[in-house]
Amino acid sequence: MKKTIWPLGFVAGTMLALAPVVQVYGQGSVTLYGVIDAGIGYSNNVAPALGGAGGHKFQLTSGVGTGTRFGLRGTEDLGGGNTALFVLENGFSVANGTLLQGSRSFGRQAYAGLSNPRFGTLTFGRQYDSVVDFVSPFTAAKQWGTQYGAHVGDVDNLYNAFRINNSVKFTSQTWRGFTLGALYGFSNQAGGGSGNGFANDRAWSVGTSYRLGGFSVGAGYLLVNNPSSGNTNGSNAGGAVAGDYTAATNIFYARPVTRQAVVTAGAAYRFGQATAGLVYSHSKLDYTDRSSFDIHNIEANLALRLQPALVAGLAAIYSDGFVDGARGITNVATTTHPRWLQINVGTDYSVSKRTDLYAAVVWQKAEAGAAVAAVDAVGGPTGAGGRYQIATQLGLRSKF
């Protein structure tokens, strides 16, 4: 009997002796957070798909200003300044309670990693690419313009039309105003299989930013190989952007894409109660029929803080496209040189630290060889023969 009790007592005593060490080096926290965003929106001439007939649309909206979500954020002190961390973030519709991002449990973000105060942070999972991290904050859409204010078709992913699965991501610590980042998303498919295996729906990106006083600048690059292979009936249901690469207003993804490359840059300068910004992006899509589409987006925006709780903004976006290897793109561009013009107007009023009211109006016109307008997130492009689209939104946003 004594032989049985002795080892148990020894183990219990050892655990008690180590308890202070565990308390010092195992301290951590888990935070529940979220955003509830609901409103009423109107848009004109909305078609359910390219080439369809359009009509006026009134709708109860969710997440137009900021994606409705709830999430868990956890950290654990590992000692020596090292930290283990995780984020699980769910996207859902407050209008009907359904899951978004392909009905994923944590479709917005899902990752775990390690952070070091000297070197930076390394994370693994479903994450945002470097274009989103380093350039999208300069856009009007991510500040006050709502999702409606994203560039036509969100072809540059600056409003994160898709996220990157199976990804490894590194973000450096900020050194003298500079921050660096890189990401690689695996296809998770065996080499030599259907669609060239290893490269079939993989992605990688790099980015950087610099901040000095009221001036800030950022740049990013994103490349995705065979992104359409992750769509329904595609050759890789587990790839880097599987299930994310389609939406009614992402008109440039309606045809199978073999390669997408995005180069972006943005800058902002704060003076007094105003902040002026510039954003540039160049996206090139290569299609399976060996045609390609280049589009340059140029955005200028201005935000004014009229009162401590009131912000108003104005932005103009010019999108210049070029089709190569074809005379046009069916139901998108009738010639080789389509163009779009877009104006965003918005305002935001903070009722409290957690709650605000916002309003936005977005006008987009298809010019020259552009066949349709496509304001992001309104539910579809303009109907056949339509050349402009207007979207308005009144919303309430509460954060916790």
Side-chain angles (χ1 to χ4, degrees), residues 66-241:
T66 302
T68 298
R69 72 196 72 176
F70 73 82
L72 295 170
R73 181 183 294 111
T75 60
E76 181 185 8
D77 184 1
L78 302 179
N82 299 306
T83 303
L85 57 92
F86 73 86
V87 169
L88 299 173
E89 190 174 280
N90 162 286
F92 68 97
S93 169
V94 72
N96 55 31
T98 56
L99 294 173
L100 302 179
Q101 290 85 44
S103 297
R104 292 176 170 90
S105 296
F106 297 102
R108 292 187 59 86
Q109 298 182 87
Y111 64 82
L114 298 170
S115 180
N116 178 277
R118 180 179 178 184
F119 298 107
T121 301
L122 184 67
T123 50
F124 308 84
R126 176 174 168 85
Q127 305 175 82
Y128 295 114
D129 62 72
S130 302
V131 164
V132 175
D133 287 343
F134 291 99
V135 183
S136 69
F138 294 100
T139 65
K142 283 295 185 75
Q143 297 177 70
W144 46 262
T146 76
Q147 187 173 355
Y148 292 165
H151 301 165
V152 58
D154 196 23
V155 67
D156 47 22
N157 204 42
L158 287 176
Y159 208 91
N160 39 269
F162 55 85
R163 295 156 176 84
I164 310 299
N165 302 319
N166 318 322
S167 64
V168 180
K169 180 176 178 178
F170 172 75
T171 305
S172 74
Q173 296 292 345
T174 300
W175 180 76
R176 295 188 178 181
F178 285 97
T179 306
L180 302 174
L183 171 145
Y184 186 88
F186 291 87
S187 72
N188 273 16
Q189 191 173 61
S194 176
N196 299 320
F198 184 79
N200 191 32
D201 195 5
R202 68 173 176 181
W204 63 271
S205 64
V206 292
T208 185
S209 65
Y210 174 74
R211 183 179 298 273
L212 178 64
F215 174 75
S216 56
V217 62
Y221 176 79
L222 168 66
L223 179 67
V224 188
N225 295 109
N226 297 316
S228 295
S229 69
N231 291 347
T232 303
N233 300 320
S235 59
N236 187 4
V241 296

Side-chain angles (χ1 to χ4, degrees), residues 22-35:
V22 174
Q23 291 175 356
V24 171
Y25 295 106
Q27 291 179 351
S29 65
V30 176
T31 302
L32 174 67
Y33 66 94
V35 178

Side-chain angles (χ1 to χ4, degrees), residues 135 151 156 158 263-266 278-283 295-299:
V135 183
H151 301 165
D156 47 22
L158 287 176
V263 178
T264 61
L278 287 172
V279 180
Y280 168 79
S281 72
H282 170 236
S283 302
I295 182 167
H296 301 264
N297 291 301
I298 302 171
E299 174 183 334

